[in-house]
Amino acid sequence: MRTVLKFGGSSVADLARMKSIAEKLARRQIEGEELVVVVSAMGKTTNQLLSMAREASENPSKREVDMMLATGEQISIALLTMILQEKGVKAVSLTGYQAGILTEGIHTKNKIRDIDPKNIEKYLSEGYIVVVAGFQGFNESGEITTLGRGGSDTTAVALAAKLHCHCEIYTDVDGIYGVDPRLYPRARHMDSITYEEMKEMAFLGAKVMEPRSVDIAQNYGVIIYVGSAHEDKRGTYIQEGEKNVEERSITGLSVLENIMMVTISHLPERSIHTADIFTKLAEEEINVDMISQTPMPDGSVTLSFTASAEDRKLMESVLHEVVDELPGAELTTTTEILKVSVVGSGMRTQSGVAARIFTLFAQNGITFKQVSTSEISISYTMEKKHKEKAVELIADAFSL
Ligand code: ADP
Ligand code: ASP
Ligand code: MG
């Protein structure tokens, strides 16, 4: 039996935690399991590295950011491997490059193109626990790359897909809940959740799983178990689901923070400008969402959309290039917003969810700026001040 296990930053935040993980790994190895262990950078290391980079330069080169961020995971793999070796366990650490993780795309947002598992296979066959640095890889030019925040999940699931095995994600919560338990402590623990719903919840802000990792799991049929790294409690399986006879209309709620809303007003009503704006954003790999275009009485249009606030500086410089050329057009951006979304595949067949939420909001003085829907979700952008109330109202009403 072979398993890929992943331990997130808080689970390897100090040596004591690493020692307790090493203990469990050693036991499983003795039982004959082949183990590939993916680890993240310790605690808040990635954030600290990023803020140092921003102190060093207002707009640091993304190649250098990757160079820097990759060190975080390397500290973890080396330490965990030393601890295992100290226990007499055969173990070896591998960087993304040594693990054969080939990536493509722009620095800091790379995607895994392929994995050459021969090095990992070789060590497994020789009885080693293979400890792989999460979140990093190398590109065709031989540069070190990273996979975007939360990317160790992606590393782990992609390795499990390549090695044809299950993936266990260990973190600081004991599984997936209807709502982030830190936001809504009464949230319902789930024994299992479908890929589809988990993917939607993750894309809409449930940071417990990196969204692309769930996409990979679904495409390759990798079963994921999410559980607590240090507590012995039952976790959650992410897998293809059977249909319940009576499906819930909503399974979960996610909150996406750290977003920005962009509004461009007095844009001449010529679709070429809109096309130009989105082409330029796409070239920078900036994802946008909730696009709306409203015609104004003066014949102009107001265009608005949301995007990740991580991209704020880049976004503003790209948009100014276009907007400054158009007389009268005005650009405003705000980060004082967030997005609350409900997710559930039951919404395909059950109507009335949006109506119920509109009513809840109306009765409780919650105003929202935009609404968008997908087949299995409804999202509302609103001012940050409404977060707690909106979450509680919806979670209570739908028993999440
Ligand atoms: P790691 O460092 O292990 O990758 P993350 O911080 O990325 O951990 O993800 C775990 C966090 O995800 C939890 O601490 C929890 O607050 C948050 N979270 C958000 N939504 C959910 C949810 N629906 N169920 C469980 N945890 C959630
Ligand atoms: N260390 C990286 C991050 O903080 C990757 C990860 O933890 O998954 O985003
Ligand atoms: Mg994470």
Side-chain angles (χ1 to χ4, degrees):
M1 161 121 164
R2 173 181 282 190
T3 311
V4 174
L5 302 87
K6 177 248 167 181
F7 294 90
S10 54
S11 311
V12 292
D14 52 42
L15 288 176
R17 288 194 175 87
M18 286 200 194
K19 283 180 184 166
S20 112
I21 290 167
E23 197 71 51
K24 285 182 204 153
L25 295 173
R27 249 181 277 137
R28 286 176 66 162
Q29 198 203 32
I30 288 167
E31 285 164 14
E33 228 178 305
E34 286 184 337
L35 302 175
V36 175
V37 184
V38 174
V39 281
S40 294
M42 294 168 76
K44 304 218 172 310
T45 302
T46 306
N47 286 342
Q48 285 158 358
L49 293 173
L50 267 177
S51 67
M52 268 202 281
R54 289 196 191 111
E55 228 179 275
S57 156
E58 201 177 308
N59 194 8
S61 137
K62 291 186 167 150
R63 178 191 183 274
E64 304 309 326
V65 172
D66 272 355
M67 186 65 90
M68 180 144 178
L69 292 189
T71 62
E73 270 66 17
Q74 282 169 226
I75 295 172
S76 303
I77 54 170
L79 279 174
L80 182 61
T81 304
M82 289 174 199
I83 294 169
L84 284 163
Q85 290 171 347
E86 184 65 21
K87 288 181 169 303
V89 178
K90 255 176 124 176
V92 63
S93 66
L94 299 179
T95 62
Y97 170 74
Q98 292 170 324
I101 300 173
L102 178 65
T103 70
E104 61 189 2
I106 63 171
H107 275 291
T108 74
K109 286 186 184 175
N110 260 239
K111 297 192 166 64
I112 296 178
R113 192 164 105 191
D114 199 7
I115 299 177
D116 176 358
K118 71 170 180 300
N119 211 11
I120 296 181
E121 293 280 9
K122 177 188 114 213
Y123 280 114
L124 285 178
S125 69
E126 290 169 8
Y128 284 87
I129 292 184
V130 184
V131 183
V132 179
F135 175 57
Q136 58 169 264
F138 70 104
N139 66 16
E140 242 176 3
S141 329
E143 303 277 10
I144 292 182
T145 58
T146 65
L147 303 175
R149 300 308 305 268
S152 298
D153 294 336
T154 316
T155 305
V157 176
L159 280 172
K162 197 75 193 182
L163 298 168
H164 307 288
C165 64
H166 290 191
C167 182
E168 299 175 5
I169 303 278
Y170 290 102
T171 180
D172 58 359
V173 277
D174 58 347
I176 312 292
Y177 285 78
V179 187
D180 183 346
R182 290 182 211 290
L183 210 58
Y184 182 69
R186 301 192 290 283
R188 187 176 54 93
H189 179 272
M190 299 185 210
D191 287 339
S192 74
I193 180 169
T194 62
Y195 291 122
E196 186 187 45
E197 287 178 324
M198 187 68 242
K199 195 161 68 177
E200 194 83 354
M201 277 182 73
F203 271 112
L204 293 169
K207 80 168 193 170
V208 60
M209 289 298 299
E210 200 283 327
R212 272 156 43 217
S213 69
V214 188
D215 201 32
I216 298 172
Q218 181 171 31
N219 290 339
Y220 291 87
V222 175
I223 295 175
I224 302 177
Y225 173 82
V226 181
S228 162
H230 299 288
E231 279 182 308
D232 230 354
K233 289 186 177 164
R234 193 161 56 149
T236 304
Y237 284 94
I238 308 173
Q239 57 194 5
E240 213 56 82
E242 293 141 36
K243 283 257 170 291
N244 290 336
V245 182
E246 275 223 63
E247 222 170 3
R248 306 168 65 92
S249 55
I250 298 183
T251 319
L253 176 156
S254 292
V255 179
L256 190 64
E257 298 188 72
N258 201 20
I259 60 171
M260 63 191 282
M261 188 166 142
V262 176
T263 308
I264 304 171
S265 52
H266 304 292
L267 199 58
E269 195 194 9
R270 296 233 343 259
S271 50
I272 187 68
H273 300 306
T274 311
D276 197 22
I277 288 169
F278 289 114
T279 307
K280 290 214 159 77
L281 294 176
E283 278 164 9
E284 296 290 344
E285 296 201 12
I286 298 177
N287 282 327
V288 299
D289 196 14
M290 294 192 138
I291 304 168
S292 66
Q293 184 165 282
T294 319
M296 290 294 154
D298 66 0
S300 71
V301 294
T302 297
L303 177 69
S304 79
F305 53 88
T306 58
S308 164
E310 297 277 330
D311 293 320
R312 184 171 193 168
K313 280 227 163 70
L314 183 59
M315 167 83 86
E316 286 174 343
S317 76
V318 170
L319 291 178
H320 272 299
E321 267 176 44
V322 182
V323 173
D324 293 353
E325 294 293 305
L326 299 171
E330 245 175 76
L331 169 71
T332 49
T333 58
T334 172
T335 51
E336 282 308 305
I337 56 153
L338 48 75
K339 185 155 89 175
V340 174
S341 308
V342 291
V343 173
S345 44
M347 271 190 265
R348 282 210 180 88
T349 50
Q350 298 177 32
S351 53
V353 173
R356 249 177 102 187
I357 294 175
F358 286 139
T359 310
L360 281 175
F361 284 177
Q363 285 167 345
N364 291 278
I366 294 178
T367 49
F368 50 85
K369 297 189 177 301
Q370 291 170 312
V371 183
S372 72
T373 59
S374 84
E375 233 186 319
I376 64 161
S377 68
I378 309 175
S379 303
Y380 304 82
T381 24
M382 59 184 72
E383 287 171 51
K384 281 182 174 168
K385 65 177 184 206
H386 294 310
K387 174 170 114 176
E388 279 80 16
K389 188 82 198 156
V391 168
E392 186 172 284
L393 283 170
I394 300 173
D396 284 347
F398 293 89
S399 308
L400 304 176

